[in-house]
């Protein structure tokens, strides 16, 4: 029996691994033929020399494509001419493979059986297109390949739509390779499977062979998968976060971000070529009515451009080399008509289009704005320009953000696609602003600084000043775009982390943007577009409500709008349950629940006492309610706490349960700390990360004796409870709080004050900081470390 060195196999190159496997399998077939009893052989068909006629071992799948991964399956078909001893021969062949601990996907078929299966099963047909002779009678393999290819072409009109739907469904399930932080290199849309599909479409004679750059992208993904499987020692196609650095080093790349960017570029190229190819295939599969051929109607769209079928092509009198505005004019015409530029037109423009003059002529800038204003239909057109290098030719800064990964889990897209999606979302808001042109350009460029080292906002301000001037905007418009980039995070940050009822919060925004109502209008629309292009988690209805409330208050300060209602007041509240009154030891505890935008508003009333805020926050956390904002008011010894919450698992809060929990916690019969610690143990997603918490005081935003402290820490069960308990232990009262969760991190801001009304002393601030750090880490507060707190 031939010997295969399994330990050395994964370390070989693909070509060496292929040779070793082929030689080993050839030997196994020869041994199997020798071991099969001659009496079981069909009479009249003895072995003819070294090869027995009528039997062939054929590789399909990755082995058939000459791409065996280090720890992949062996996909083998034993093809025969109908002999009765084939079962014994197959057993003699497969058992040594199993004994070698290799995973085997095997079948035994005649040529007619294989072709019948391929004609009914699109996956089987796709695999047989990669059939490659390994051992045995080569004429059998050649006959199988010819029959399979003929059947594939014959049934293309039925099989290819199934294959298209299969890949699109898989892409929806797994995601697009170009935008995943932990991509499936094989099954994600744009992955290795796309390269195999492209070859299958070419085999059906309905598409050309994939272009060379698509082949290069495919080869890189193969190299990445090989490096991944060597690193993990198993058959894995998912490039998980912890393996990315090692894979990057194996491929000679600078770091894991460089790896993810190369994977994204490769995946987007394969996806783009696949999309273009499927459009051609779909058009070819449409059955034309019988009769004389009719010429496709050509409809003029713009100067030098016509619509031909479902594409935009160059007119006969177009002069690409002498018309600098033709690229953007064509892109705008295509997007406005919800079409795409034809691949040939793109190639011609990429080769012949001259550089744009600087500054851009008004008609060129107008075409660019028309393209962006097309909204969703502009996204695929911009992707066409990007894939052909035309977008970076117009905006050289674009190359630095192409396929740049964003590690934050909120982000669905790479930086460049996020910018395009932001512009598409901004197109829906152009009627809400006085300068829609500035909104569209600002949305497209607000994160352009992420391609350079340093703070992306500061870098973006410098870049946008140059880009806007190059586009031909007037100096005042350039400054407005610069201010949009400078402050594009201002409204969301302030709205979600500061008390909107505090006048200093509004002062901060006015100080930043001046008394420019038009800029406020643009920043509000930009915040909406940016959030919508990030993810639903990043721009929830509640966050949108907070930003709108902040904008209303700033507008009122500027004199362009009436003073709005308090933020925590619900819009058209619907009381879901009465506020129960549960008798306590001294005073009743009342709990009311109302439906508000994107969640519920919970109002808790009880006798004021130190730590009341913390107790209520702990009870809410114990009931799986995420707090997003809170406010406390005390009058005549009675505390009223209003919380904006959202159920973590979709179950609405029950007033009776909450009231009972608050009462039990106040009486000391509910061990909140122990229960929350157990909950954190039960839910692994709530476990904190290793980064230390950060405590910041904002004296400039404090009011009188009230201080503002912000805590950035790993999110965990009961974090708000622990933080407010720590502040109470440090002798500080919490007046209001805003809470925001950014992926695995939480940003909690508290307005605190000394109960006696005195300014917060430095020693008290130090005690509070130590207590907050301990609470954020999950450590129990140490009264000795905090110091004695006078009653």
């Amino acid at each position: 029996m031939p010997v295969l060195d399994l330990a050395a196999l994964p370390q070989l190159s693909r070509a060496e691994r292929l040779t070793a496997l082929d030689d080993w399998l050839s030997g196994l077939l020869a041994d199997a033929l020798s071991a099969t009893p001659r009496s079981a052989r069909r009479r009249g068909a003895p072995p003819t020399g070294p090869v027995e006629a009528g039997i062939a071992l054929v590789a399909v799948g990755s082995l058939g494509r000459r791409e065996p991964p280090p720890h992949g399956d062996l996909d083998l078909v034993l093809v025969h001419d109908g002999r009765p001893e084939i079962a014994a021969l197959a057993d003699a062949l497969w058992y040594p493979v199993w004994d070698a601990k290799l995973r085997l996907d095997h079948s035994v078929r005649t040529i007619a059986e294989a072709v019948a299966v391929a004609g009914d099963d699109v996956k089987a047909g796709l695999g047989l297109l990669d059939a490659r002779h390994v051992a045995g009678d080569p004429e059998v393999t050649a006959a199988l390949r010819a029959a399979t290819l003929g059947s594939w072409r014959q049934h293309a009109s039925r099989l290819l739509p199934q294959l298209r739907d299969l890949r699109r469904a898989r892409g929806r399930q797994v995601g697009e390779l170009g935008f995943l932080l932990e991509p499936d290199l094989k099954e994600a849309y744009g992955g290795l499977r796309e390269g195999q599909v492209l070859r299958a479409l070419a085999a059906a004679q309905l598409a050309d062979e994939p272009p060379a750059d698509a082949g290069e992208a495919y080869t890189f993904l193969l190299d990445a998968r090989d490096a991944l499987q060597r690193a993990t020692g198993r058959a894995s196609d998912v490039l998980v976060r912890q393996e990315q650095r090692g894979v990057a080093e194996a491929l000679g790349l600078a770091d894991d971000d460089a790896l993810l960017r190369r994977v994204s570029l490769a995946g987007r190229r394969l996806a783009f070529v696949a999309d273009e190819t499927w459009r051609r295939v779909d058009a070819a599969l449409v059955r034309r009515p019988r009769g004389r051929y009719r010429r496709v109607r050509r409809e003029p769209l713009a100067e030098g451009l016509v619509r031909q079928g479902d594409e935009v092509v160059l007119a006969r009198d177009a002069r690409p080399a002498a018309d600098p505005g033709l690229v953007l004019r064509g892109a705008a015409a295509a997007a406005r008509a919800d079409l795409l530029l034809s691949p040939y037109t793109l190639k011609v423009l990429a080769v012949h289009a001259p550089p744009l003059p600087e500054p851009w002529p008004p008609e060129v800038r107008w075409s660019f704005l028309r393209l962006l204003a097309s909204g969703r239909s502009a996204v695929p057109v911009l992707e066409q320009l990007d894939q052909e290098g035309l977008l970076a030719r117009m905006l050289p800064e674009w190359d630095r953000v192409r396929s740049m990964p964003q590690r934050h889990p909120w982000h669905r897209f790479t930086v460049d696609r996020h910018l395009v999606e932001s512009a598409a979302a901004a197109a829906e808001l152009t009627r809400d602003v006085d300068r829609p042109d500035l909104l569209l350009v600002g949305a497209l460029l607000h994160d352009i600084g992420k391609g350079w080292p340093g703070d992306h906002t500061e870098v973006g301000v410098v870049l946008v000043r140059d880009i806007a001037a190059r586009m031909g905007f007037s100096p005042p418009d350039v400054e407005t775009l610069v201010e949009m980039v400078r402050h594009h995070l201002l409204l969301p940050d302030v709205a979600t982390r500061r008390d909107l009822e505090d006048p200093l919060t509004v002062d901060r925004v006015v100080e930043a943007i001046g008394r420019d109502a038009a800029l406020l209008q643009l920043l509000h629309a930009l915040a909406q577009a940016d959030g919508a292009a990030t993810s639903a988690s990043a721009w929830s209805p509640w966050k949108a409500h907070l930003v709108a409330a902040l904008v209303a208050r700033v507008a009122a300060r500027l004199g362009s709008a009436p003073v709005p209602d308090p933020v925590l007041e619900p819009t058209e509240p619907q009381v879901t349950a009465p506020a129960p009154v549960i008798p306590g030891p001294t005073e009743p505890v009342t709990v009311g629940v109302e439906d508000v935008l994107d969640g519920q508003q919970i109002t808790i009333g009880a006798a004021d006492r130190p730590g009341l805020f913390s107790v209520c926050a702990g009870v809410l956390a114990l009931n799986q309610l995420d707090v997003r904002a809170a406010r406390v008011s005390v009058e005549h010894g009675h505390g009223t706490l209003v919380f904006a919450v959202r159920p973590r698992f979709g179950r609405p809060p029950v007033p009776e349960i909450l009231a009972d929990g608050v009462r039990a916690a106040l009486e000391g019969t509910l061990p909140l700390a122990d229960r929350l610690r157990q909950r954190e143990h039960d839910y692994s997603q709530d476990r904190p990360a290793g980064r230390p918490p950060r405590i910041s005081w904002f004296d400039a935003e404090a009011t009188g004796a009230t201080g503002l402290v912000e805590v950035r820490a790993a999110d965990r069960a009961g974090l708000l409870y622990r933080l407010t308990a720590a502040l109470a232990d440090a002798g500080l009262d919490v007046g209001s709080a805003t809470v925001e969760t950014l992926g695995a991190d939480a940003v909690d801001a508290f307005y605190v004050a000394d109960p006696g009304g005195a300014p917060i002393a430095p020693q008290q601030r130090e005690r509070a900081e130590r207590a907050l750090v301990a609470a954020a880490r999950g450590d129990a507060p140490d009264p000795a470390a905090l110091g004695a707190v006078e009653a």
Side-chain angles (χ1 to χ4, degrees):
M1 179 183 295
V3 177
L4 181 66
D5 189 349
L6 293 176
L9 194 64
Q11 307 307 319
L12 300 176
S13 67
R14 277 197 298 274
E16 293 169 338
R17 195 158 51 245
L18 178 70
T19 300
L21 287 171
D22 278 2
D23 291 345
W24 181 62
L25 292 171
S26 297
L28 290 182
L29 180 61
D31 287 353
L33 288 170
S34 300
T36 304
R38 296 187 61 86
S39 60
R41 301 253 183 99
R42 188 174 60 180
R43 294 180 180 179
T48 57
V51 176
E52 180 163 340
I55 293 180
L57 182 61
V58 177
V60 295
S62 60
L63 190 62
R65 294 188 296 272
R66 303 178 184 273
E67 302 163 357
H71 296 280
D73 298 349
L74 295 183
D75 296 324
L76 300 171
V77 181
L78 185 60
V79 186
H80 64 101
D81 56 2
R83 60 188 58 200
E85 77 275 13
I86 195 64
L89 180 61
D91 287 343
L93 178 61
W94 304 143
Y95 273 99
V97 179
W98 289 322
D99 291 341
K101 308 300 183 185
L102 292 176
R103 292 181 304 176
L104 176 64
D105 187 354
H106 62 91
S107 61
V108 180
R109 299 273 191 269
T110 65
I111 293 178
E113 290 170 345
V115 171
V117 171
D120 293 334
D121 187 338
V122 65
K123 289 184 178 180
L126 187 64
L128 283 173
L129 288 176
D130 296 321
R132 182 179 62 84
H133 182 73
V134 175
D137 188 349
E139 293 184 2
V140 172
T141 304
L144 173 67
R145 286 182 54 84
T148 301
L149 191 59
S151 174
W152 181 256
R153 292 169 178 168
Q154 179 182 358
H155 299 100
S157 60
R158 177 172 53 83
L159 293 178
L160 291 184
Q162 296 178 27
L163 180 59
R164 176 200 61 207
D165 295 342
L166 185 68
R167 286 307 301 149
R168 290 178 179 173
R170 191 64 173 154
R172 287 191 297 270
Q173 179 182 357
V174 180
E176 295 184 59
L177 182 66
F179 307 121
L180 295 173
L181 292 176
E182 292 188 331
D184 187 324
L185 300 174
K186 181 180 179 181
E187 293 295 347
Y189 193 73
L192 291 170
R193 192 70 79 188
E194 252 54 62
Q196 299 155 21
V197 169
L198 287 172
R199 287 198 294 266
L201 295 176
Q205 297 182 335
L206 292 174
D208 296 332
E209 289 291 333
D213 56 2
E216 294 169 0
Y218 182 82
T219 300
F220 174 77
L221 295 181
L222 283 176
D223 293 341
R225 184 178 68 173
D226 283 4
L228 172 64
Q229 293 196 4
R230 289 194 187 97
T232 59
R234 55 189 174 84
S236 174
D237 298 319
V238 180
L239 188 59
V240 295
R241 181 71 177 88
Q242 59 266 31
E243 302 294 346
Q244 291 175 10
R245 184 170 295 277
V247 172
E249 292 175 356
L251 296 178
L253 299 174
D255 53 29
D256 43 357
D257 278 351
L259 168 66
L260 210 56
R261 187 173 192 178
R262 284 286 304 274
V263 169
S264 173
L265 289 169
R268 289 174 70 175
R269 187 59 188 168
L270 282 171
F272 178 78
V273 174
D275 287 342
E276 292 281 1
T277 304
W278 277 118
R279 278 193 288 273
R280 292 280 178 273
V281 170
D282 289 344
L285 291 177
V286 174
R287 296 190 176 185
R288 302 181 181 277
R290 294 184 178 181
R292 298 183 60 183
Y293 175 76
R294 295 183 179 181
R295 296 182 60 185
V296 178
R297 180 183 175 187
R298 291 167 63 91
E299 176 187 346
L301 289 179
E303 182 183 353
L305 299 152
V306 297
R307 172 177 183 166
Q308 181 173 289
D310 294 330
E311 296 177 327
V312 175
V313 302
L314 296 176
R316 294 185 179 89
D317 58 351
R319 299 293 181 265
D323 190 349
L326 185 58
V327 173
L328 283 175
R329 194 162 65 246
R336 299 294 287 183
D338 199 15
L339 302 172
L340 291 172
L341 295 163
S342 77
Y344 177 75
T345 297
L346 277 172
K347 296 293 184 185
V348 170
L349 292 174
V351 172
H352 297 288
L356 289 176
E358 296 183 10
W360 292 3
E363 60 272 14
V364 172
R365 187 170 65 254
W366 177 245
S367 295
F368 186 60
L369 294 171
R370 280 175 57 84
L371 170 62
L372 298 181
S374 301
R376 296 301 315 166
S377 61
V379 174
V381 177
L382 285 167
E383 182 71 9
Q384 285 189 304
L385 299 183
D386 184 38
Q387 288 294 323
E388 291 300 330
L390 290 166
L391 190 55
R393 193 182 303 178
M394 293 180 286
L395 297 172
E397 297 82 359
W398 197 259
D399 257 339
R400 298 293 293 265
V401 297
R402 284 193 75 225
S403 284
M404 184 178 182
Q406 303 198 81
R407 291 290 184 180
H408 199 292
W410 271 10
H411 278 281
R412 294 176 294 167
F413 300 113
T414 53
V415 176
D416 58 334
R417 184 58 177 268
H418 169 72
L419 293 176
V420 171
E421 293 285 338
S422 297
E428 303 294 327
L429 304 169
T430 52
R431 295 185 180 181
D432 298 338
V433 297
D434 296 332
R435 290 297 303 273
D437 55 338
L438 300 183
L439 172 61
L440 293 169
V441 175
L444 183 71
L445 302 177
H446 72 276
D447 276 344
I448 196 70
K450 287 186 174 179
W452 279 258
D455 182 87
H456 81 278
T457 299
E458 296 177 1
V459 176
V461 164
V462 176
L463 295 176
V464 168
R465 191 183 302 277
D466 294 338
I467 295 172
R470 191 190 317 144
M471 289 180 174
F473 284 100
S474 65
D477 289 347
V478 171
E479 291 306 315
T480 299
L481 286 168
V482 166
E483 291 302 304
M484 289 176 65
V485 173
R486 190 192 310 277
H487 299 301
H488 72 275
L489 295 175
L490 176 66
L491 297 179
D493 283 352
V494 172
T496 56
R497 301 174 190 175
R498 297 295 179 263
D499 183 1
L500 301 190
E501 301 300 331
D502 188 342
L504 287 181
T505 299
V506 177
D507 291 343
R508 179 187 177 189
V509 177
V510 174
E511 181 181 354
I513 69 173
R515 304 192 64 83
D516 191 341
L519 178 59
L520 175 67
Q521 191 184 67
L522 287 168
L523 289 174
H524 186 199
L526 177 57
Q528 296 175 72
D530 186 14
T534 301
S535 66
S537 299
W539 191 253
S540 64
W542 173 251
K543 189 170 185 178
H545 170 62
L546 290 179
V547 172
L550 174 62
V551 170
R553 278 157 176 71
V554 175
R557 176 69 60 83
L558 299 179
S560 59
V563 179
D565 294 330
V567 177
L568 285 177
E569 285 296 321
T571 302
E572 298 182 0
Q574 298 176 353
V575 179
T576 59
V581 177
I582 300 178
T586 56
E587 183 179 319
V589 174
T590 62
V591 176
V593 179
E594 297 173 323
D595 288 334
V596 295
L597 187 65
D598 193 30
Q600 285 81 32
Q601 177 173 292
I602 297 176
T603 304
I604 302 175
D608 185 37
R609 56 178 288 179
L612 177 62
F613 189 112
S614 176
V615 166
C616 293
V619 171
L620 296 178
L622 203 58
N623 284 271
Q624 315 283 10
L625 298 171
D626 292 333
V627 178
R628 296 172 300 178
R631 184 177 303 283
V632 181
S633 62
V634 179
E635 186 175 356
H636 304 303
H638 180 83
T640 301
L641 301 92
V642 183
F643 295 88
V645 304
R646 179 167 49 193
R648 174 163 294 192
F649 299 109
R651 295 187 292 269
V654 179
E656 293 83 0
I657 295 177
L658 296 179
D660 186 50
V662 172
R663 185 191 63 173
L666 291 175
E667 292 176 342
T669 59
L670 174 63
L672 270 179
D674 294 341
R675 293 284 298 276
L676 287 170
R677 192 176 299 112
Q678 180 61 42
R679 181 181 176 276
E680 180 179 337
H681 176 75
D682 293 340
Y683 291 91
S684 60
Q685 68 267 27
D686 288 329
R687 292 174 185 167
R691 288 180 297 173
R694 191 176 78 186
I695 313 298
S696 304
W697 292 84
F698 295 87
D699 296 331
E701 300 179 44
T703 305
T706 300
L708 174 59
V709 59
E710 181 182 89
V711 182
R712 292 174 178 251
D715 190 27
R716 59 192 301 158
L719 178 63
L720 182 61
Y721 159 73
R722 288 186 175 88
L723 296 179
T724 51
L727 291 170
D729 287 341
L732 296 176
D733 284 343
V734 177
S736 64
T738 59
V739 178
E740 183 180 17
T741 302
L742 304 172
D745 294 332
V747 181
D748 296 357
F750 303 96
Y751 286 82
V752 296
D754 184 275
I760 301 174
Q763 298 84 354
Q764 197 173 19
R765 178 180 293 191
E766 292 176 6
R767 290 199 303 270
E769 288 184 7
R770 292 197 297 270
L772 289 171
V773 169
R777 288 176 173 170
D779 302 332
D782 183 358
L786 295 175
V789 179
E790 296 182 1

